[in-house]
Amino acid sequence: MDGAKVARRLTVLALLFTGGAFAASLLVGRYPIDWAALADPASMDRRVFLTLRLPRACMGLAAGFGLGAAGSVYQTVLHNPLAAPDVIGVASGASVGAAAAILLGCGGALTALLAFGGGLLAVGAALAGAGLSRRRDILSIVLAGIAVNALAQAVLMLLKLAADPEKELAAIEFWTMGSLADMTPDKLAGALPWVAAGLAGLALLRRPVLLLGLPDDEARMLGVPVTGMRRAALALATLITGAVVSVTGLIAFVGLLAPHIAALLRRGGRAGLLLSGLTGAGLLLAADVLARSLAASEVPVSVVTSLLGAPFLFWLLCRKEAAHG
Amino acid sequence: MDNGLLVKDLRAGYPGRTVLAGVNCTARPGQITAVLGANGAGKSTLLRAVCGLLEAGGVCELDGESIGGLSTRERARRIAYLPQRAGGELALTGLEMALLGFSPVLGLLEQPGAAHTRQAQAMLERLEAGAFAHTDMRQLSEGQRQLVLLARTLVQPHRLLVLDEPDAPLDCRHRRVLLAALQADAAAGASVLLSSHDVNFSLRHAHRLLVLGQGRLLADLCPAEAAEQTLADALRAAFGPVELVRHRGSWLMIDGEEP
């Protein structure tokens, strides 16, 4: 079948799955909602729906889509199928920002802002460090990212050492587990413009970003200013990831897995931003529904994504080995 | 002004290592110019330097314009380049890969249209790679991948076509297919500059030979017109003891080393 037709059909299927997961996210929860009561402006059902259930489902959609799309960009641009936000330090930078905010006794909004700033700062440092190298290639970005990551981890450990074990340390640990549980309309409104801006930028640059998946000389000779475009693509993907993790905490595996699942569904050929994003959204929404339903008390969504992601990676590994004989 | 490629006193290399030391050569429109030389002679470095992919000293002009002065996009509309081991690990079908050749002429938001798809498909068919249009590049053999990548390079708008060992992964049949495509490209007015380890392919089909040795141009000659001794001396300087024999009006090089 023609590649474009396959992509269209898969996109429709992914849309249906994500729509179903979004609906399930609205329906599932500790508080049973009487849907007829939603019309009453004074009802508790309406308040729960508008201030808790709807923001949570919307954030699941935006975060999953953003992480999936950003993951596909990281993997393409860094020529690394295992590239995830932490390769260039965004997740660990955000963790340092969040931990510092918790130690300083900041509220949720300021914690999100500092986490966002920490993520961007870490990636900025990695890209600046790579710029000092004479090679200015992918390897220098990855090595600079590893260095920044190690530095951020050291700072995070120092902050944890200084934290009060009863409250602050627990809060830092809980933040790094990631969750959509405390989502509010304010948090959603804080993150959404950045995610939308990053996605719009990536959509604009989708052709040059795709060409960055080729070896550098080929991309240059097809008209892409490689160094600048790679930095722009990484900055936009980081904007999305930083905005998401600043309000949700670290969400494991979605950015890594969504592009692989999308590529598997596509069975050869390009999965693209849209399909990777929709897969990420469906995955995160489904994981969040499971996180709310699996146990008596809610488990952090990262636990579920990791439980789903780790076996998938094993399966992917076995499948590749089988394919290579 | 269609003068083709003009290279004067080209010096190029890599950090801490000079590979080319003052090369002068040309590649004319309508001609196939083959670069020959032993491993490490500087063939790939010459091709990369001509494309402006290496920091280089000297002059490199295409149709009277300095290649180094062109923007990345302008250069991509004039020069199509295929390096060795190209394509990377991108998950694209053969047709999607071939369509990337139109990137230099597409706007930021523009996607390849039906006309581009028809051209890319036609080029794939011409290179006997039409069957790979909907196959993932990662599932193709080296030779099949090379045909798809050649299709991408040939559909890219260009005045100069630069190919680094394009025939290396190809069998005898597909070398003929490649040759027909290169001859058609040259006939359409492009300058074709390629490197090859297949000396006999170059002796038979190239209009000019550039023989490199240790970063210097040992000879720049026309194989159809050069005297036997001149040709043999140039090839011996590059490859050691070799002999030339006539076959159907062309020269053939054979290894002169006693077994």
Side-chain angles (χ1 to χ4, degrees):
Chain A
M1 198 190 307
D2 178 74
K5 276 186 195 159
V6 175
R8 273 197 295 275
R9 285 188 186 185
L10 281 172
T11 304
V12 171
L13 276 177
L15 263 173
L16 288 174
F17 176 72
T18 304
F22 184 81
S25 182
L26 291 175
L27 292 170
V28 173
R30 213 152 293 281
Y31 186 88
I33 290 181
D34 174 8
W35 298 99
L38 286 184
D40 175 7
S43 73
M44 176 62 92
D45 296 89
R46 185 183 169 94
R47 198 142 29 110
V48 167
F49 181 77
L50 290 180
T51 58
L52 296 175
R53 208 67 71 77
L54 189 60
R56 181 174 191 156
C58 289
M59 192 62 213
L61 183 71
F65 193 98
L67 290 174
S72 104
V73 170
Y74 284 120
Q75 289 171 13
T76 303
V77 167
L78 296 176
H79 297 187
N80 184 346
L82 292 179
D86 225 21
V87 170
I88 54 170
V90 57
S92 50
S95 300
V96 170
I102 290 165
L103 284 190
L104 292 170
C106 301
L110 204 52
T111 303
L113 194 65
L114 282 182
F116 187 35
L120 295 190
L121 195 67
V123 174
L127 292 180
L132 296 176
S133 142
R134 285 178 73 179
R135 295 167 56 103
R136 296 188 179 189
D137 58 3
I138 293 171
L139 185 64
S140 48
I141 293 177
V142 172
L143 286 176
I146 289 172
V148 168
N149 203 18
L151 192 67
Q153 289 296 341
V155 175
L156 184 62
M157 280 189 275
L158 283 175
L159 292 175
K160 283 182 178 176
L161 266 179
D164 164 19
E166 295 285 320
K167 292 179 184 166
E168 294 161 348
L169 187 58
I172 293 171
E173 291 295 345
F174 192 75
W175 189 89
T176 57
M177 286 180 201
S179 174
L180 297 172
D182 298 327
M183 206 46 57
T184 61
D186 286 347
K187 282 186 181 177
L188 181 67
L192 222 47
W194 300 105
V195 174
L199 285 172
L202 288 178
L204 270 177
L205 298 179
R206 65 190 184 282
R207 277 198 77 73
V209 166
L210 169 67
L211 289 166
L212 286 176
L214 293 169
D216 286 1
D217 277 359
E218 284 178 76
R220 279 195 185 95
M221 293 308 292
L222 286 165
V224 181
V226 167
T227 308
M229 190 58 70
R230 183 175 285 133
R231 282 161 182 257
L234 288 175
L236 289 167
T238 299
L239 195 67
I240 295 168
T241 312
V244 168
V245 301
S246 70
V247 292
T248 63
L250 302 186
I251 294 179
F253 275 114
V254 174
L256 175 65
L257 287 186
H260 285 285
I261 296 173
L264 275 177
L265 293 172
R266 182 84 164 76
R267 289 187 178 188
R270 184 163 55 97
L273 274 184
L274 182 62
L275 195 55
S276 296
L278 283 173
T279 309
L283 193 67
L284 184 56
L285 284 166
D288 187 46
V289 170
L290 284 175
R292 279 182 264 173
S293 335
L294 280 178
S297 64
E298 183 173 333
V299 291
V301 72
S302 252
V303 174
V304 180
T305 53
S306 299
L307 282 174
L308 293 173
F312 181 80
L313 266 188
F314 273 119
W315 178 75
L316 206 63
L317 183 72
C318 297
R319 188 176 171 272
K320 283 204 167 168
E321 278 182 1
H324 289 112
Chain B
M1 200 166 52
D2 294 350
N3 296 331
L5 175 71
L6 172 68
V7 174
K8 270 193 207 164
D9 193 26
L10 181 67
R11 301 174 305 281
Y14 304 91
R17 186 164 63 99
T18 302
V19 177
L20 297 178
V23 170
N24 298 289
C25 62
T26 56
R28 298 281 176 214
Q31 292 193 346
I32 297 174
T33 304
V35 184
L36 300 178
N39 292 325
K43 300 187 294 299
S44 298
T45 305
L46 173 63
L47 301 190
R48 291 187 72 209
V50 160
C51 291
L53 294 169
L54 291 175
E55 284 191 20
V59 173
C60 261
E61 288 179 355
L62 181 61
D63 296 338
E65 274 186 295
S66 165
I67 292 173
L70 298 173
S71 72
T72 308
R73 199 165 164 82
E74 286 169 341
R75 185 178 59 187
R77 290 176 178 180
R78 289 168 172 77
I79 305 175
Y81 167 63
L82 183 63
Q84 296 176 46
R85 292 179 293 278
E89 285 295 310
L90 264 185
L92 295 179
T93 63
L95 183 61
E96 287 170 341
M97 179 60 87
L99 283 169
L100 294 185
F102 294 107
S103 301
V105 289
L106 292 176
L108 198 58
L109 292 175
E110 204 180 348
Q111 292 295 315
H116 296 120
T117 305
R118 276 197 300 277
Q119 280 183 59
Q121 184 69 48
M123 186 56 80
L124 286 170
E125 303 285 353
R126 188 163 158 191
L127 294 171
E128 298 188 356
F132 317 134
H134 302 299
T135 309
D136 191 320
M137 288 291 287
R138 295 167 301 176
Q139 291 166 6
L140 299 179
S141 74
E142 278 302 301
Q144 292 168 335
R145 276 172 64 88
Q146 183 73 350
L147 293 170
V148 172
L149 292 165
L150 281 165
R152 184 193 79 192
T153 313
L154 286 164
V155 298
Q156 183 177 345
H158 59 271
R159 300 282 308 134
L160 172 64
L161 181 67
V162 181
L163 307 170
D164 197 351
E165 297 187 23
D167 52 345
L170 300 182
D171 58 44
C172 183
R173 173 194 174 90
H174 288 100
R175 284 182 184 206
R176 284 198 293 273
V177 170
L178 166 68
L179 173 68
L182 297 185
Q183 286 172 332
D185 202 55
S191 309
V192 179
L193 179 67
L194 59 89
S195 72
S196 178
H197 278 301
D198 189 342
V199 176
N200 291 328
F201 180 90
S202 306
L203 280 170
R204 190 165 175 199
H205 303 297
H207 298 92
R208 292 203 76 79
L209 295 183
L210 305 175
V211 185
L212 285 179
Q214 296 182 327
R216 293 185 181 278
L217 188 65
L218 303 174
D220 176 356
L221 40 80
C222 169
E225 295 169 6
E228 179 179 359
Q229 194 59 43
T230 311
L231 199 53
D233 287 348
L235 295 174
R236 283 180 193 131
F239 301 108
V242 295
E243 304 284 343
L244 284 177
V245 293
R246 269 285 190 196
H247 176 68
R248 291 187 184 173
S250 300
W251 291 110
L252 278 181
M253 187 186 86
I254 53 173
D255 191 350
E257 186 83 17
E258 289 297 326

